Amino acid sequence: MKKLKYILVFLFVSAFAKAQQLQSYIQEAEANNPEIQAFELRYNIAEEKVNEANWIPNTEVSAGYFVSEPETRVGAQRARIGVKQMLPWFGTITARENYATAMADAEYVDITIAKRKLA
């Protein structure tokens, strides 16, 4: 009879006990794992490089004043002004963006692999 009481008490306590699930342990380990944090940082950097792929160099403006006026075919020059804008070849920006996206996807795969190894 005593054993039956112990079994009933154990079943009663275990039915109402709140045990922590394995999934919450895995989530906590993923959040605090330095290897996964490093992979996530590299992934964030790769995502920023996707945004940088659409970048066109800034316009350059130059001006100069000649102290002694040089003689050229068209006459004496007193000052020089210039404006320069570099434009990429057709398809270059799209290719850079596709490359950066592929690199970001590869970093994401590394994160997924590390999380699966941890789990």
Side-chain angles (χ1 to χ4, degrees):
M1 207 55 168
K2 228 178 192 187
K3 289 184 181 181
L4 182 62
K5 285 182 186 178
Y6 288 127
I7 292 173
L8 288 175
V9 168
F10 177 72
L11 289 175
F12 181 73
V13 170
S14 65
F16 294 106
K18 302 229 178 191
Q20 192 171 12
Q21 298 293 329
L22 177 63
Q23 190 62 32
S24 64
Y25 282 129
I26 292 173
Q27 289 174 350
E28 185 175 343
E30 287 176 357
N32 296 325
N33 189 333
E35 183 182 0
I36 292 177
Q37 290 174 349
F39 280 127
E40 288 176 347
L41 183 61
R42 289 192 347 214
Y43 174 70
N44 291 338
I45 291 170
E47 282 290 314
E48 282 298 316
K49 288 184 180 181
V50 171
N51 296 334
E52 291 175 5
N54 294 333
W55 181 74
I56 295 177
N58 293 333
T59 304
E60 296 179 17
V61 178
S62 62
Y65 179 76
F66 296 109
V67 178
S68 62
E69 298 176 0
E71 289 290 331
T72 62
R73 288 180 279 167
V74 293
Q77 290 185 347
R78 291 188 183 147
R80 184 181 78 204
I81 298 174
V83 178
K84 181 172 78 170
Q85 174 66 55
M86 302 291 285
L87 297 175
W89 288 98
F90 298 108
T92 304
I93 291 178
T94 305
R96 280 191 304 204
E97 190 173 350
N98 290 342
Y99 174 74
T101 302
M103 294 303 290
D105 290 343
E107 294 294 337
Y108 183 75
V109 168
D110 289 342
I111 292 172
T112 306
I113 290 170
K115 285 182 179 180
R116 288 183 182 173
K117 282 182 181 179
L118 182 66

